Amino acid sequence: MRINLYGQRNPLGGGVHFSGFCDALKAISCLSPAISEYDYFSEADFSACMKSVGHDDVNIHFINYTHLDSAGCPNKWRKLPGFNIHWAIFETTVLHKEAISWYQGADAVFVPSHWGKDVLINNGINPSQIEVIPEGMDPSQFHPLLRSCYEKNDAFRVLVIGKFEPRKGFPELLEGFCGAFGSENNVKLILKSDSLYLNGQAYTDNLAKLNEQISSFGFSNYELVTGALSVEDIFHLYNYCDVLLFPSRAEGWGLPLLEAIACGMPVITTNYSGHTEFLAPITKLVKTVDHNIVANHPLGVWAVADPSQIADALIELKNNYGKYQTQAMEAAKIMRLEFSWANSAEKCLHFLIKKGVFSPSFSIGI
């Protein structure tokens, strides 16, 4: 009887989820020997899995293997024996029929938010299949304990983390920043918004379009941060900047927002989709902006923030920074306590034992 974890470790959102959850589950005392980790894109892992997977195993899939590109993943994965859990993370309210089929074919579906659970139900997934298991972050990696130690000059730094695409609300955030500060010398917009999933010319073109969109608003007080960053680099970025601007139109979870809050960073955000799960206990401690629900054909609806509210929120936060920094430190305590990877792993293990699909036996010699 084993717990088999299927995905891939990488710096993208799904890879961070996979690696964070795997490490947390393995860290539970006496559990690690019963856990196997498989990279869907590794031929060696594919061969090892096919030889060892058993009918009493639990298989947790972080990737829909039926959608994997055959060029990048030539191995033909099949539905495995045992109890199969499919992790559902999505940003849309209307799901593709292939995704619905994938979820319906699972013995259980894990989803990180109650918003996501409602979307699954509305798309025909049986509620009895669905279990809410929030994602998390590592509170030892993302914390506010050193926030006051960062040397800063007189500039007020507004940070944006999120790949350059419409879903992240770039038209609204750029218009809002421009309306609040224009090209003020004592304010800087810092964007970590390159799309690392793109390669070669596509990556270069995406960055060029981002610069072009910024230039269309006429301000020059911005800086782009590019390339793969280490956890330490991201931690420094959160703590060096003053506020995270996150007017996302839709998120499956919203990991950068959670990490920033855990670092004691004041944030300005929409309150819609996946990140409603961890914003719920701290709504009064963060700055949220109103949004309109807009059609996102053919993928349902999403939230579009009001740029004037973004501008007002930026000015309000800058002018009353002490108040919002104090609130952010309170929010950090709650996030680090309630939304860690360790909590995610514990909720998963509790579900498996309660469901009766995982019950390892132990003997001791004392």
Side-chain angles (χ1 to χ4, degrees), residues 290-329:
D290 290 343
H291 60 262
N292 294 314
I293 297 298
V294 177
N296 176 28
H297 185 76
L299 302 176
V301 298
W302 59 13
V304 177
D306 182 343
S308 65
Q309 280 214 7
I310 293 175
D312 290 345
L314 284 167
I315 294 170
E316 162 72 15
L317 199 146
K318 181 176 182 293
N319 291 342
N320 300 277
Y321 194 74
K323 166 190 171 182
Y324 288 101
Q325 181 60 83
T326 298
Q327 291 180 350
M329 297 300 276

Side-chain angles (χ1 to χ4, degrees), residues 137-196:
M137 52 78 212
D138 186 339
S140 66
Q141 293 178 333
F142 299 101
H143 62 79
L145 306 177
L146 303 176
R147 188 163 179 81
S148 63
C149 300
Y150 283 75
E151 293 184 7
K152 302 180 181 182
N153 57 27
D154 293 334
F156 182 76
R157 292 174 175 80
V158 179
L159 176 65
V160 171
I161 293 188
K163 53 185 176 289
F164 178 57
E165 62 181 31
R167 182 172 62 84
K168 296 296 184 177
F170 276 86
E172 300 87 73
L173 74 86
L174 293 174
E175 182 178 344
F177 178 85
C178 185
F181 303 123
S183 292
E184 291 184 21
N185 292 329
N186 63 341
V187 179
K188 178 175 281 190
L189 181 64
I190 298 178
L191 304 104
K192 177 64 178 83
S193 301
D194 53 338
S195 298
L196 294 178

